[in-house]
Amino acid sequence: MQTGQRQARLMPADSYNQPGIEVVEANVANNEQKVFAVAPQPAHKDQMQELVNLVLETGSRMVDRSVDKRLEQSLEELKDIVYDPKQAERLMDTPGAISALLSIGNPAHRPISWPPSTRRLASIIVGTMVQNNPELQSKAQRAGAVPALIHMLRDETDARTAGKHVFALSALTRGHALALEQFVQLDGLRIVSSINPLESTVFRGENESAKLDMRIVRFIEDVLNPEFNPRIPSTSASMISQFASVWCTTLSSRLTSSLEDVDSAQSERPTYERRLAYLHSLELLQQAYSDTCKVSSGFKDWIHNELARVKHVSDDEYNQALVNFYESNV
C-alpha cells in the first residue's frame, strides 16, 4: 500500500445481506467448485432519481418540518445505495447534490436546522461517497465540502451527529493532498482540536461525548500521521509539524486530568479506552515528530504514579501502554 493510501475494509462473511449487496453463486469449469462472490445490486433508476430530487428540493430551501420523516427515510435509503461506488459517483455527479447534502447537515441552517438525526445521515452519505475514492474526494473538495464540514463540526450541538461530521472530514481528507492542505490552511486542526466534548457544556450524554472525544483524537492522529499524508506544500507540512507540538501538550494535559470511563454493563468497572487512545496517539506523535513532540517531567512522573496505581487492575493493554510510554521517555 503506497503512502497516502488506505486499504478498504474487508466485508465480514456475515454481512453479505447488507442493503445493496447480494451473494452470487458461480461454478468453476475445471472442478465444479462453488464460489461465492459479492456483487452490488443495481439501484432502480427511478427510485434513485426520486430520492435525489427530494434531497435537492429540501436542501435548497428553508427547513420544512412537515417533510422531516419523508426526508429522513429518503436519506436512509440513499445511505445504503451509495455503498455501491457507481451509485455514489452518480449521486456526486448530480448538479447540486453535494451542496444540498451539506446544507441539510448544517446545524447553523437558518432560520432553523434539520433535526440531528437528519443532519447525521447527510454527513454519513457524504463520507460514504468519498471514502477510498480519490476521484470523488476531488469532486467533493472542489464543491466546497472541506470548509462546510469544518463549520458544521464547529457549530454542532449533538455529540453523536458531530461524530458523523468527523467521519465525513476524515473520509474526505485522508490520503488526499488538496483536501488535506485546504483543511490545514483553513485552521481546521485548531478548530477541531479545540472541541473538548467531555468539558463542553454544549453536548449532552457522557457516553456519546466520550465517543466523540475518541473520534476527534483518532482523526487528528491520522492527519498528523505521515504514513497517511501524501506530499503537500511545505507551508502546510510546517503548520502540521508545529501543531504536533501543541497537540502533544494538549493530549498529555487531558490524559492527566480525565477520569476513567465507567462501563455500566460490567458492574461499574472502570475502563481505559479513552486513556489508551490518548497514549497511543502520544506514542505515534513522538515517533513522527521527535523534535517537536515533547512531554514535561511532570507528565513522566504522572506516568510513573499511574503505573503504580493500576498495577493490579485487569486491563493488561492499558498497563502495557503505560509501560511502553514510560520506557521510551526515561
Side-chain angles (χ1 to χ4, degrees):
M1 184 169 63
Q2 298 178 356
T3 302
Q5 294 181 330
R6 60 178 175 174
Q7 187 178 20
R9 294 181 181 179
L10 296 176
M11 185 166 59
D14 60 356
S15 64
Y16 286 162
N17 60 349
Q18 291 181 357
I21 299 295
E22 64 176 347
V23 177
V24 180
E25 180 179 329
N27 290 322
V28 178
N30 58 354
N31 59 9
E32 295 299 320
Q33 180 182 5
K34 291 183 178 179
V35 177
F36 291 89
V38 180
Q41 293 180 342
H44 193 284
K45 288 186 177 181
D46 292 339
Q47 177 201 17
M48 174 75 166
Q49 192 59 55
E50 182 179 343
L51 297 173
V52 172
N53 286 343
L54 180 60
V55 169
L56 292 172
E57 179 186 352
T58 54
S60 61
R61 57 181 172 84
M62 291 197 308
V63 174
D64 180 358
R65 287 295 174 82
S66 67
V67 298
D68 272 2
K69 291 184 178 179
R70 182 179 164 212
L71 175 60
E72 190 162 324
Q73 182 179 357
S74 297
L75 291 173
E76 282 280 6
E77 294 181 47
L78 271 179
K79 181 191 71 171
D80 294 335
I81 289 173
V82 296
Y83 277 108
D84 179 351
K86 291 183 178 179
Q87 299 302 331
E89 183 175 2
R90 181 183 170 197
L91 178 58
M92 181 69 75
D93 289 341
T94 300
I98 187 71
S99 296
L101 286 167
L102 294 169
S103 176
I104 292 170
N106 182 10
H109 195 289
R110 295 291 181 266
I112 60 173
S113 61
W114 293 100
S117 56
T118 304
R119 303 198 300 268
R120 193 179 308 147
L121 284 166
S123 279
I124 291 174
I125 292 170
V126 172
T128 302
M129 280 197 297
V130 302
Q131 193 171 27
N132 299 313
N133 193 322
E135 182 180 352
L136 297 193
Q137 282 178 305
S138 295
K139 291 180 179 180
Q141 185 266 331
R142 290 195 296 269
V146 174
L149 286 166
I150 291 175
H151 295 154
M152 287 159 61
L153 181 57
R154 181 196 63 192
D155 297 332
E156 186 54 70
T157 58
D158 179 81
R160 186 179 177 190
T161 304
K164 302 311 178 186
H165 301 332
V166 174
F167 159 67
L169 260 178
S170 177
L172 181 57
T173 58
R174 194 177 186 189
H176 192 277
L178 290 177
L180 179 60
E181 180 189 5
Q182 188 179 26
F183 174 76
V184 173
Q185 293 295 328
L186 290 172
D187 207 18
L189 281 168
R190 184 194 63 79
I191 292 171
V192 174
S193 65
S194 68
I195 300 172
N196 188 349
L198 295 165
E199 293 187 0
S200 172
T201 58
V202 173
F203 300 116
R204 296 181 180 179
E206 185 176 352
N207 187 44
E208 290 298 336
S209 293
K211 289 179 181 178
L212 174 59
D213 184 43
M214 285 194 294
R215 281 184 179 273
I216 289 173
V217 169
R218 287 165 179 163
F219 168 57
I220 294 177
E221 178 184 310
D222 282 353
V223 172
L224 298 179
N225 190 343
E227 179 184 349
F228 297 130
N229 291 345
R231 295 185 181 278
I232 59 174
S234 58
T235 303
S236 295
S238 175
M239 292 175 67
I240 289 175
S241 180
Q242 291 174 25
F243 176 80
S245 173
V246 176
W247 189 235
C248 281
T249 302
T250 301
L251 281 178
S252 58
S253 175
R254 290 187 187 181
L255 185 59
T256 57
S257 62
S258 65
L259 299 175
E260 292 85 14
D261 297 317
V262 174
D263 183 358
S264 58
Q266 296 293 329
S267 302
E268 302 298 315
R269 180 177 66 85
T271 66
Y272 298 92
E273 190 175 6
R274 276 192 300 117
R275 291 192 175 202
L276 266 171
Y278 290 173
L279 278 172
H280 287 160
S281 283
L282 274 171
E283 189 174 8
L284 287 171
L285 288 176
Q286 283 194 320
Q287 294 171 3
Y289 302 92
S290 57
D291 293 336
T292 57
C293 184
K294 306 291 185 182
V295 294
S296 66
S297 58
F299 182 70
K300 295 176 185 178
D301 292 339
W302 180 86
I303 291 287
H304 181 269
N305 294 333
E306 181 72 352
L307 271 169
R309 186 183 75 84
V310 301
K311 181 170 58 177
H312 301 297
V313 304
S314 59
D315 198 317
D316 294 335
E317 188 178 2
Y318 181 55
N319 272 312
Q320 190 59 52
L322 287 168
V323 170
N324 292 344
F325 194 88
Y326 181 76
E327 290 179 347
S328 65
N329 281 275
V330 294

